[in-house]
Amino acid sequence: MATTTKIGLEIHCQLTGAKSKLFCRCSSDYRGKAPNANICPICAGLPGTLPLLNQKTVEFAAMITLALGCKFPDEIAFYRKNYFYPDLPKNFQLTQYNAYGITSIGVDGRLEYGNGKDARIRRVQLEEDPGRLVYASGSMDTSLYVLIDYNRAGVPLVEIVTEPDFADTKDVRMFLDKITSIIEHLGVCDTKLEGSVRCDANVSVDGGNKVEIKNISSFADVEKALRYEITRQRTMTSREIQVRSETRHWDDARKVTKESRTKEEEQDYRYFPEPDIPLVMLGSEFVSFIKQSMPELPDTRKERFMSKYGLSAHIAQVLIGNKELADFFESTLMIYLSPKEIANWIVTDLMSFIDERQKKEEEEEEHSLFAGLKVGPEHIADLARLVDQDMINRATAKQILGQIIRTGEMPSALAKRMHASRIDDVSVLAQTVQSVFQMEQAAVQDARRNANVANFLLGKVMKITKGKADPKVALEMIQKKLKED
Amino acid sequence: MVVTREEVKHIGWLAKLEMSDAELQRYTTQIEEIINYLNKLDTIPLEQVKPIAIKKKFSELRKDSPENFEDAVLGTGYRKDGFVKGPRMV
Amino acid sequence: MPIYTLEAGQVVQGIKSKEFSAEEYISQLFERIEKVEPKVNAFVTLNKEEGLDRARRLDKKIRDGEQSGPLAGVALSIKDNICTKGMKTTCSSKMLESYIPAYDATVIKRLMAAGAIIIGKANLDEFAMGSTTEFSRHGPTRNPWDISRVSGGSSGGSAASVAALECAASLGSDTGGSVRCPASFCSVVGLKPTYGLVSRFGLVSYANSLEQIGPVGRTVSDVVSILNVIAGFDENDHTTTNSSKPTYSLQERKGLRVGLIKEFTEGADPGVSKMIYKAAETLEKQGCKCEEVSLPSVQYALASYYTIATAEASSNLARYDNIRYGFDMNPEGYEWNSYFARARSNFGDEAKRRIIVGSYVLSSGYYGKYYLKAHQVRSLLKREMETLFKKYDVLIGPTMPILPFKIGERIDDPLKMYLVDIDTVVANLTGMPAISVPAGFADGLPVGLQIMADQFAEQTMLDVAYLFEQAAKVQRSPEL
Ligand SMILES: [Mg+2]
Ligand SMILES: [Zn+2]
């Protein structure tokens, strides 16, 4: 039986690029601070305080709106979402809402995320992050009380809501990668910071009831949560058990979705417009200001990489898929301009080291791509130059990269040391070449007709000398000998 | 009946207000009377009227410069290691 | 005459000219407070030590020839829903019984910079929800003209403290008439500014889109001098108007056009209406042209007001869950829902009622029926008022449709209590300024004349108020 899956996403990105919180002057950088040291009367919800909307966050949310192909309304408004929870200082969240006219910053967008697939974006909205709860005994169930830290309360978030347009977890992964690359390129969110991107998802299988999964605290876990939930729903369907429409929570530790304790169906948010924040008029002047100040988006960058540097679509795609990688590439070009050579080194060789490292730490949070690798643009530039100038061949270059990535030594310095131990003594090398010619007589005959076969002979020389022969000198010797005999 | 006891009870749950049976009874009667009065609003056709609103330009919003609040924000009370103690979450 | 009876303007003059010291003045006031407070109950907290200390420092400044500010030495009471750093701000609620704000409201900063001295926090209905100051955790404030009667509310403590000569002037807050109602009941002057003229930063919110902080004084002149200090844009309140700081003055103006709202006088007690017609006559004698006008949408005003006010209040009051501040109740061991519900059951009766009504009108499916309609009524009313202001400089009527009633008389009938706000809510719904000035007495009880003007036309409104005050010469403070 063919099964259909429908997945929709609600993505929360902290606007870490903003210096202050959404409605107050406290720093938006709450990480690593002592509990409740990063608060003021406004974000702590003290009586008599009023929200002061941060201009930068509107600018950032507008950039995301444009990048996701959404439309702007003429004016935006904020709404109060009323519900009680101990992490909410005011017991309502300031957010945006679209029930009586459009008032959220973005609406009705569409984003192509790869392989010609796209997803509809329902809306983009600005809202505040709540505080953080810590359980006294480490677990919610056994703690007699909860510890509350309001340092995060009021940190600006952009929520991106998609239509249920994803058919499988791979699509979701690609979409999230694209979102990550976009917000990184816009400079609005540092996705490497723990908890800076979070996701809620809704899933239905075979036209059954929709289940919401909340609490997925990193993009890395989204696929896991979805796979678990899809399997759970399919198993139920196959046993002819009806899937209930409900909200489930992703259990980070056990990697399962579990029934939510609160009766969400009884929740009624009593939305109404926040009276303390005036409507913010956007208008065409604002839109053109945002268009002007938009940094280059990944898709545009890809085009540029192809047209300016002559990269293939595939190579360009891999580079722009991660802003760090693309930036690394361009920084390398600033030192030594050899785009194709450098792109190849980054995309094939460097990436394999990165993948290897990432596999090893598997469950670790996503931090810098180059973490633990002692390699910078200057190393790759140096390596590419050595290859371009025939100072070393590719095999040696790879060997060099494998070493310097751990030591941080410059490739040219290592090459020089390796060179010193090489067999460039002509008489020793001549003996080796002589013996190869005797062993491979058929190949020698071929090589006289076809110049390419000389490389085969060189390979043999290198093998016998365990790579210690200077390939340049050896090849010259082989070619000379082919002509002589 | 416009407002039922059950409705007031549900609202009490939403608004986190504990009410005794006697209170619930009294509030239901009083709130029904008030809601009946507010129902006046439903008798006027107002479809075309746009609500008034205060508006600001983007340029008038707060500039993004962080500032530390120097004074203690939270008074004393049930606290632990700088955290605020709250009730259990189960 | 004892110096505690002086108006604010006279106090500034007396202190600056060294006729008496600020310390003498403040000490005398505290003696007066000690004497009359047991009868009136206008104060929630007294600020005696710090008040005297500030007075001494002011005296030194004046001796040293330093600048002392336009309100130098003026003793003020502050409604206890306006935040004062380091001084309890209780909102007359158990929920904030020990709450000490970490910051000063903008108006407090401005008053202090102008040299004013805060002598205490004034009583109010819990979270400013009421029209009598009976819904206070600290007991009702009594009307200085007849202590068996209500002072009006919710700024009852503010108006009563001014009428009882316990301070020169006061700050109240006006959400649906809360400054003007007690001003009327206590025969003093109370002003509600245009929405956005005065910063609300530090005013504990009851209904944000309706309320403004406003001054209470014994004369129009005193109210003007306080308004001049507190008015103007504040970067901490996005709803204040970003324009140059206004300065108001007392001007003699003739030939002003006055509209008397007939719905207001028709709905009022005969004794009250009579005084308002008499006030209109007084204005005519001063060269004003008075005409009766109609404001048909006013019939929907109260329904609109109570929908919006309760809706906003239900959300504003959600933060009082006793976790960050409040009274002593250990959360340990409680399941959070029951802790919140238990702690919040300590709200008073009226606050609970308004939270329920407000949650009801906002709950699923009702938004369009109540909240949206209520906002449309605001537009409708504003349009009608604007049309009237094309023909008239000001609109007048009674501030309150009834005379101050006995304490306890209406407390068990919430709707009946709400109906007394009918004449005051219009100014809040439309955002327009309004002032209550003493109009005289009916059956020995005060009647207030309400004067309304177009948005930001405070000067015109004050011109009429001053003209009337000069002509009517109504008594301000009773024997106590
Ligand atoms: Mg959200
Ligand atoms: Zn803050």
Side-chain angles (χ1 to χ4, degrees):
Chain A
M1 191 183 79
T3 57
T4 58
T5 305
K6 276 187 173 176
I7 304 166
L9 302 172
E10 284 175 28
I11 301 161
H12 287 93
C13 318
Q14 285 182 340
L15 298 179
T16 56
K19 293 188 182 72
S20 65
K21 289 184 179 178
L22 186 50
F23 298 117
C24 68
R25 300 181 183 93
C26 290
S27 170
S28 61
D29 180 15
Y30 61 91
R31 291 176 174 83
K33 292 191 178 163
N36 296 309
N38 187 49
I39 57 172
C40 73
I42 299 174
C43 58
L46 294 194
T49 53
L50 304 169
L52 303 169
L53 180 57
N54 180 345
Q55 190 179 60
K56 200 76 191 173
T57 63
V58 175
E59 193 182 320
F60 282 171
M63 286 179 180
I64 295 176
T65 294
L66 267 187
L68 302 185
C70 290
K71 290 190 286 242
F72 287 106
D74 293 333
E75 294 158 348
I76 56 165
F78 285 84
Y79 273 72
R80 290 188 185 180
K81 182 181 185 178
N82 293 289
Y83 66 100
F84 284 84
Y85 211 70
D87 61 6
L88 276 182
K90 305 181 290 288
N91 283 317
F92 60 77
Q93 184 198 29
L94 282 177
T95 178
Q96 298 193 291
Y97 189 59
N98 287 342
Y100 290 84
I102 303 299
T103 60
S104 72
I105 189 148
V107 72
D108 284 344
R110 190 177 279 277
L111 182 70
E112 217 227 79
Y113 58 87
N115 298 348
K117 288 180 179 172
D118 59 11
R120 289 167 298 160
I121 310 294
R122 190 180 293 169
R123 66 171 187 273
V124 174
Q125 66 189 36
L126 252 178
E127 60 184 33
E128 55 181 345
D129 217 350
R132 213 167 49 87
L133 299 181
V134 176
Y135 301 102
S137 75
S139 131
M140 187 195 261
D141 306 73
T142 55
S143 298
L144 274 179
Y145 53 88
V146 69
L147 296 172
I148 314 169
D149 173 15
Y150 296 105
N151 284 348
R152 194 180 68 180
V155 164
L157 294 178
V158 159
E159 179 173 334
I160 301 164
V161 183
T162 78
E163 299 291 343
D165 286 353
F166 305 97
D168 58 48
T169 55
K170 238 187 278 139
D171 286 354
V172 168
R173 180 76 240 179
M174 281 205 296
F175 180 79
L176 292 177
D177 284 346
K178 177 97 183 205
I179 292 283
T180 306
S181 177
I182 287 175
I183 56 182
E184 287 279 359
H185 273 87
L186 292 176
V188 300
C189 175
D190 182 349
T191 59
K192 295 180 295 296
L193 295 172
E194 198 213 326
S196 63
V197 284
R198 279 114 64 185
C199 196
D200 295 345
N202 54 74
V203 197
S204 64
V205 165
D206 296 335
N209 281 320
K210 194 171 81 176
V211 173
E212 309 255 0
I213 314 168
K214 296 220 180 262
N215 204 30
I216 314 173
S217 57
S218 79
F219 280 4
D221 267 7
V222 174
E223 266 181 297
K224 285 179 205 141
L226 284 171
R227 266 199 296 271
Y228 178 89
E229 183 56 26
I230 292 167
T231 312
R232 191 188 69 90
Q233 290 188 27
R234 286 206 179 132
T235 313
M236 286 176 78
T237 313
S238 70
R239 291 181 194 158
E240 288 175 9
I241 305 167
Q242 216 205 340
V243 173
R244 267 198 312 140
S245 173
E246 63 174 332
T247 300
R248 298 176 70 84
H249 281 249
W250 173 242
D251 185 330
D252 215 18
R254 290 168 49 219
K255 307 289 174 206
V256 296
T257 68
K258 58 180 189 184
E259 226 172 303
S260 175
R261 255 175 268 260
T262 53
K263 291 182 191 154
E264 307 271 347
E265 63 276 11
E266 278 195 60
Q267 213 34 281
D268 177 349
Y269 294 120
R270 290 155 288 141
Y271 284 99
F272 75 100
E274 167 57 63
D276 291 327
I277 305 175
L279 293 181
V280 183
M281 297 178 282
L282 300 182
S284 55
E285 205 179 305
F286 172 78
V287 177
S288 56
F289 160 71
I290 295 300
K291 278 185 180 156
Q292 273 171 30
S293 52
M294 281 279 274
E296 189 182 35
L297 283 169
D299 284 355
T300 324
R301 198 176 199 185
K302 181 179 168 185
E303 291 299 320
R304 183 165 60 83
F305 280 7
M306 289 165 68
S307 60
K308 188 173 169 192
Y309 301 133
L311 304 187
S312 72
H314 169 72
I315 297 272
Q317 179 60 44
V318 175
L319 287 172
I320 62 98
N322 188 307
K323 181 170 182 287
E324 245 191 312
L325 207 59
D327 288 348
F328 189 96
F329 169 65
E330 293 209 276
S331 303
T332 312
L333 293 193
M334 301 281 275
I335 304 167
Y336 178 63
L337 190 66
S338 178
K340 283 188 182 168
E341 186 67 33
I342 286 168
N344 271 320
W345 279 109
I346 293 174
V347 168
T348 43
D349 301 281
L350 196 51
M351 273 314 284
S352 69
F353 287 110
I354 291 169
D355 288 344
E356 211 173 289
R357 193 214 62 218
Q358 281 178 343
K359 242 173 253 152
K360 254 184 246 161
E361 24 188 85
E362 223 198 318
E363 298 305 323
E364 289 278 305
E365 270 317 309
E366 315 183 27
H367 39 59
S368 171
L369 212 50
F370 300 99
L373 303 179
K374 291 184 173 169
V375 64
E378 65 280 9
H379 293 99
I380 302 298
D382 191 32
L383 195 69
R385 188 191 290 116
L386 290 175
V387 175
D388 274 351
Q389 295 173 351
D390 279 336
M391 305 288 280
I392 50 174
N393 68 3
R394 267 172 218 288
T396 316
K398 270 185 198 179
Q399 214 183 327
I400 288 175
L401 181 63
Q403 279 191 41
I404 61 119
I405 217 157
R406 278 178 277 110
T407 62
E409 193 181 2
M410 284 303 282
S412 45
L414 179 57
K416 211 170 182 180
R417 277 200 290 117
M418 284 166 75
H419 214 74
S421 65
R422 263 188 194 160
I423 308 165
D424 44 9
D425 187 312
V426 181
S427 61
V428 178
L429 206 53
Q431 277 176 25
T432 314
V433 170
Q434 178 61 37
S435 57
V436 168
F437 267 63
Q438 273 169 9
M439 281 186 293
E440 305 285 347
Q441 286 181 10
V444 169
Q445 292 307 321
D446 287 348
R448 290 209 170 97
R449 286 189 300 270
N450 181 355
N452 287 334
V453 183
N455 281 326
F456 171 79
L457 296 173
L458 174 62
K460 289 286 165 192
V461 172
M462 295 309 283
K463 198 175 172 188
I464 289 169
T465 59
K466 296 196 173 83
K468 280 185 179 171
D470 183 328
K472 224 174 156 188
V473 178
L475 189 61
E476 270 166 24
M477 214 174 257
I478 290 166
Q479 279 160 348
K480 201 174 157 205
K481 200 168 169 64
L482 283 172
K483 276 178 206 147
E484 278 171 12
D485 297 335
Chain B
M1 231 184 343
V2 184
V3 180
T4 64
R5 213 182 133 97
E6 278 313 300
E7 263 182 300
V8 175
K9 202 175 168 180
H10 174 64
I11 299 284
W13 181 82
L14 282 179
K16 301 280 176 280
L17 286 176
E18 193 176 78
M19 283 179 273
S20 66
D21 280 352
E23 272 182 309
L24 191 60
Q25 193 54 54
R26 190 161 53 87
Y27 285 137
T28 305
T29 315
Q30 290 174 340
I31 279 148
E32 170 154 47
E33 202 189 347
I34 295 165
I35 294 295
N36 261 327
Y37 181 80
L38 301 186
N39 279 336
K40 244 179 202 253
L41 293 171
D42 223 15
T43 64
I44 26 169
L46 288 166
E47 275 71 39
Q48 343 68 310
V49 187
K50 257 190 92 175
I52 36 176
I54 305 171
K55 298 183 183 189
K56 280 259 150 105
K57 283 181 275 186
F58 170 75
S59 59
E60 294 174 280
L61 300 177
R62 176 175 61 84
K63 304 290 175 284
D64 181 32
S65 44
E67 221 173 85
N68 246 1
F69 187 80
E70 299 298 340
D71 294 299
V73 177
L74 300 165
T76 52
Y78 294 95
R79 307 284 186 264
K80 193 184 183 226
D81 309 330
F83 288 98
V84 173
K85 267 192 192 180
R88 58 192 308 224
M89 296 303 297
V90 178
Chain C
M1 243 192 354
I3 50 178
Y4 67 78
T5 62
L6 297 178
E7 291 162 19
Q10 298 167 322
V11 170
V12 177
Q13 223 178 5
I15 291 176
K16 285 194 178 176
S17 64
K18 297 179 188 154
E19 223 175 285
F20 51 86
S21 69
E23 187 179 3
E24 275 174 83
Y25 167 64
I26 299 291
S27 317
Q28 265 208 26
L29 268 175
F30 276 107
E31 279 167 36
R32 168 74 180 173
I33 289 170
E34 228 166 274
K35 191 177 147 225
V36 300
E37 192 52 14
K39 293 181 201 164
V40 182
N41 192 33
F43 284 92
V44 167
T45 305
L46 288 172
N47 192 34
K48 191 171 175 182
E49 291 317 311
E50 201 195 284
L52 282 168
D53 191 50
R54 269 185 69 85
R56 278 179 221 118
R57 273 185 285 149
L58 177 67
D59 287 332
K60 185 178 182 301
K61 257 188 178 181
I62 288 168
R63 279 199 305 275
D64 296 349
E66 284 174 45
Q67 280 280 322
S68 51
L71 294 177
V74 174
L76 299 179
S77 70
I78 303 291
K79 191 178 184 177
D80 206 26
N81 63 349
I82 298 171
C83 290
T84 42
K85 186 175 174 178
M87 199 193 307
K88 263 198 224 171
T89 299
T90 71
C91 294
S92 287
S93 176
K94 163 97 172 164
M95 304 306 293
L96 292 176
E97 68 174 14
S98 57
Y99 177 64
I100 298 172
Y103 70 102
D104 270 323
T106 299
V107 289
I108 298 296
K109 278 193 194 145
R110 291 183 181 175
L111 287 171
M112 304 271 256
I117 296 174
I118 293 162
I119 58 158
K121 304 297 291 283
N123 201 8
L124 68 153
D125 288 293
E126 184 176 11
F127 287 104
M129 296 174 169
S131 313
T132 61
T133 317
E134 288 170 285
F135 295 118
S136 165
R137 181 171 157 68
H138 312 287
T141 293
R142 294 164 180 277
N143 193 317
W145 296 88
D146 175 351
I147 59 168
S148 71
R149 289 174 192 271
V150 299
S151 58
S154 62
S155 313
S158 293
S161 63
V162 172
L165 303 174
E166 295 176 283
C167 54
S170 182
L171 281 192
S173 68
D174 191 313
T175 311
S178 285
V179 161
R180 291 160 289 153
C181 160
S184 168
F185 277 8
C186 297
S187 198
V188 291
V189 183
L191 183 148
K192 186 213 74 99
T194 301
Y195 189 82
L197 182 68
V198 175
S199 167
R200 288 181 297 115
F201 181 70
L203 168 67
V204 179
S205 296
Y206 153 29
N208 327 45
S209 75
L210 297 163
E211 62 207 8
Q212 279 285 290
I213 290 172
V216 178
R218 285 192 289 277
T219 62
V220 174
S221 164
D222 282 0
V223 160
V224 166
S225 52
I226 293 174
L227 185 63
N228 279 336
V229 169
I230 62 173
F233 174 72
D234 176 18
E235 61 170 8
N236 288 312
D237 179 355
H238 268 339
T239 64
T240 52
T241 308
N242 196 352
S243 56
S244 59
K245 187 170 164 43
T247 309
Y248 305 103
S249 56
L250 299 174
Q251 309 173 152
E252 295 261 348
R253 276 178 69 189
K254 300 280 173 191
L256 290 160
R257 300 159 304 166
V258 177
L260 177 67
I261 301 174
K262 73 165 199 248
E263 285 84 358
F264 283 11
T265 43
E266 280 168 1
D269 277 4
V272 171
S273 302
K274 219 178 101 191
M275 288 308 301
I276 300 305
Y277 283 118
K278 216 182 124 193
E281 272 171 40
T282 307
L283 284 172
E284 290 221 294
K285 274 186 210 146
Q286 296 302 310
C288 295
K289 287 188 202 66
C290 291
E291 268 174 30
E292 272 203 319
V293 298
S294 174
L295 193 63
S297 294
V298 79
Q299 57 176 316
Y300 302 114
L302 266 183
S304 166
Y305 171 77
Y306 275 97
T307 298
I308 293 166
T310 57
E312 292 180 6
S314 69
S315 169
N316 289 329
L317 268 53
R319 74 190 62 193
Y320 306 108
D321 55 20
N322 212 46
I323 287 186
R324 291 158 299 280
Y325 38 83
F327 53 92
D328 186 10
M329 180 177 165
N330 191 344
E332 218 167 301
Y334 275 99
E335 184 274 327
W336 70 276
N337 279 293
S338 51
Y339 181 82
F340 279 19
R342 176 71 53 84
R344 287 168 57 79
S345 70
N346 285 286
F347 276 119
D349 209 34
E350 183 58 23
K352 279 191 216 167
R353 209 153 31 230
R354 293 196 194 194
I355 290 170
I356 298 170
V357 173
S359 304
Y360 182 96
V361 298
L362 287 176
S363 63
S364 176
Y366 287 153
Y367 183 87
K369 186 174 170 178
Y370 298 106
Y371 194 79
L372 201 60
K373 278 277 174 86
H375 270 283
Q376 289 175 317
V377 168
R378 289 181 84 159
S379 296
L380 209 62
L381 258 175
K382 193 168 177 231
R383 223 186 285 167
E384 274 178 25
M385 292 280 280
E386 280 166 349
T387 310
L388 288 172
F389 283 125
K390 285 193 183 116
K391 269 185 85 179
Y392 304 96
D393 294 301
V394 294
L395 297 173
I396 63 165
T399 305
M400 298 304 290
I402 50 165
L403 295 168
F405 44 89
K406 294 274 187 192
I407 288 171
E409 201 180 303
R410 291 181 179 229
I411 202 159
D412 293 323
D413 191 342
L415 187 59
K416 199 173 164 198
M417 187 81 103
Y418 294 175
L419 296 177
V420 306
D421 296 337
I422 180 69
D423 300 338
T424 46
V425 296
V426 174
N428 304 89
L429 288 168
T430 57
M432 291 167 177
I435 190 170
S436 180
V437 287
F441 295 83
D443 304 328
L445 295 168
V447 173
L449 170 71
Q450 183 175 208
I451 305 166
M452 288 187 269
D454 203 353
Q455 281 188 303
F456 298 103
E458 265 85 355
Q459 186 59 62
T460 310
M461 179 180 87
L462 290 164
D463 291 342
V464 177
Y466 185 58
L467 189 70
F468 178 76
E469 181 182 56
Q470 296 306 102
K473 297 203 169 23
V474 178
Q475 194 192 341
R476 298 300 149 92
S477 43
E479 284 299 321
L480 259 169

